[in-house]
Amino acid sequence: MQNIIQRNFFRLLRSGAFNENEAVEPMSPFKWRRLFQMAEAQHVVPVFVSGIEKHADDHMLNLPGDLKSILQQKGKEEEEQKQTITDEDIRLSNHILNKRLKRIISQELESEDTSIESIDLLEILIFNVSRMLNRGLSLDGIIRLGQYLRQRGDKVDFVKIESWLKALKLERMAQLQGSILMAVFGFEQDELPFVQEMEKEVMPLITRAVSDMAKDSAEEWHFHQTQSGFVQNNSRVLRRNVGRSMKFYPYAPWETTSSFFTNLGRSLSEIEE
């Protein structure tokens, strides 16, 4: 069950991202600040601010005065810093699957019936897979996926998408992303042809993700060598990374395993002697 903070969080995101209009429940200043922390942790402050603005005339929106100016500034900063998807982002840690991915994109670009929208959608799905495995579930990426589907989904060749996902062993990882859109953003299954069924664990996964205020630890689990010659690691961060890999393993066994050991190998290679 979602608490009032989570309910308002998703209402405002649906409003900001997909123009839905749901009444916001009144909250105390403490709960509003907690909600803002959730928006920061999930990198969705611009969408959150947009949702706030669309409820500006809602008398139930008793937003603390000091938070209004902070939101405006943070929203502008995050919008300016919003990560664009680059060629470097469109890669998989598994060497075999990454070669398949590059071949799929190359062949599609050279095809007589090239579908740029299908390539774009595949790249968003791959970008989200990488974010999930390296940083945890990010609603920013899920919203990006949903907005693209609403804007360009009618031009996507979903037969190609399904065959590509099968070749890349990412059918369930894509289905997980679609399940999140259905569970919290009001999408219908017919908008998501790559979703065969709603993933059963999707709500517990989302609830844990948005409740986790911990700083992103993706870049922190480096090993280092002590003066005595032993190699040490931040054990707390290592446990978080192991836990994240175990969480997503059922959805993409090949890529999850490769991602974990790639990060592990990179950390070991960066030991300062």
Side-chain angles (χ1 to χ4, degrees), residues 44-62:
V44 292
V45 174
V47 177
F48 178 66
V49 170
S50 177
I52 291 287
E53 290 174 346
K54 288 172 182 174
H55 284 78
D57 297 327
D58 188 342
H59 70 281
M60 304 295 278
L61 191 73
N62 56 333

Side-chain angles (χ1 to χ4, degrees), residues 29-270:
F30 170 80
K31 288 181 178 178
W32 272 112
R33 292 186 180 92
R34 179 71 173 175
L35 195 158
F36 174 58
Q37 288 178 326
M38 290 167 63
E40 279 193 303
Q42 285 292 316
H43 307 288
V44 292
V45 174
V47 177
F48 178 66
V49 170
S50 177
I52 291 287
E53 290 174 346
K54 288 172 182 174
H55 284 78
D57 297 327
D58 188 342
H59 70 281
M60 304 295 278
L61 191 73
N62 56 333
L63 194 68
D66 63 324
L67 194 54
K68 291 180 181 179
S69 57
I70 295 174
L71 279 172
Q72 292 293 338
Q73 183 60 34
K74 287 283 187 179
K76 290 178 182 177
E77 290 176 1
E78 281 205 14
E79 187 64 38
E80 292 171 356
Q81 298 169 3
K82 186 174 182 179
Q83 183 176 357
T84 56
I85 299 179
T86 65
D87 290 343
E88 184 62 26
D89 296 315
I90 312 306
R91 63 179 304 280
L92 295 169
S93 295
N94 184 281
H95 180 65
I96 296 173
L97 298 184
N98 194 55
K99 286 183 66 176
R100 288 183 191 174
L101 171 62
K102 299 304 179 186
R103 185 165 61 247
I104 285 169
I105 294 175
S106 175
Q107 290 177 347
E108 182 62 19
L109 288 173
E110 296 171 359
S111 173
E112 293 182 358
D113 62 338
T114 299
S115 173
I116 296 299
E117 289 81 9
S118 300
I119 294 175
D120 288 343
L121 181 61
L122 178 66
E123 290 181 345
I124 294 172
L125 290 166
I126 297 297
F127 172 77
N128 284 343
V129 168
S130 178
R131 287 281 291 270
M132 286 182 182
L133 297 182
N134 290 290
R135 299 178 183 274
L137 177 61
S138 169
L139 290 180
D140 173 42
I142 300 299
I143 289 172
R144 187 193 299 251
L145 172 63
Q147 289 177 327
Y148 191 83
L149 286 167
R150 288 275 169 89
Q151 295 164 7
R152 308 289 291 174
D154 61 329
K155 298 184 181 301
V156 172
D157 186 333
F158 285 102
V159 174
K160 289 182 177 181
I161 289 291
E162 290 182 30
S163 71
W164 295 343
L165 291 172
K166 184 176 181 180
L168 297 172
K169 311 291 185 186
L170 294 175
E171 305 106 300
R172 282 198 67 193
M173 199 58 130
Q175 180 163 275
L176 175 62
Q177 295 178 47
S179 295
I180 296 170
L181 287 173
M182 292 168 63
V184 298
F185 292 112
F187 276 64
E188 300 293 336
Q189 193 163 354
D190 60 8
E191 296 180 89
L192 307 159
F194 53 87
V195 175
Q196 302 304 314
E197 61 181 0
M198 173 83 81
E199 290 289 349
K200 295 179 181 179
E201 295 299 314
V202 66
M203 280 312 301
L205 193 65
I206 296 167
T207 301
R208 287 196 298 270
V210 300
S211 299
D212 186 2
M213 297 294 115
K215 184 174 178 251
D216 175 18
S217 61
E219 303 301 325
E220 297 177 7
W221 65 317
H222 298 297
F223 290 83
H224 66 276
Q225 193 169 29
T226 65
Q227 291 182 343
S228 59
F230 291 100
V231 174
Q232 286 187 343
N233 174 250
N234 184 329
S235 59
R236 179 184 60 81
V237 176
L238 179 59
R239 285 195 300 272
R240 283 174 59 83
N241 280 275
V242 171
R244 183 167 58 241
S245 295
M246 291 177 64
K247 183 191 310 177
F248 290 114
Y249 179 83
Y251 302 100
W254 284 32
E255 180 60 14
T256 302
T257 302
S258 297
S259 177
F260 178 82
F261 284 107
T262 295
N263 286 331
L264 185 67
R266 184 182 300 117
S267 296
L268 287 169
S269 70
E270 293 175 357

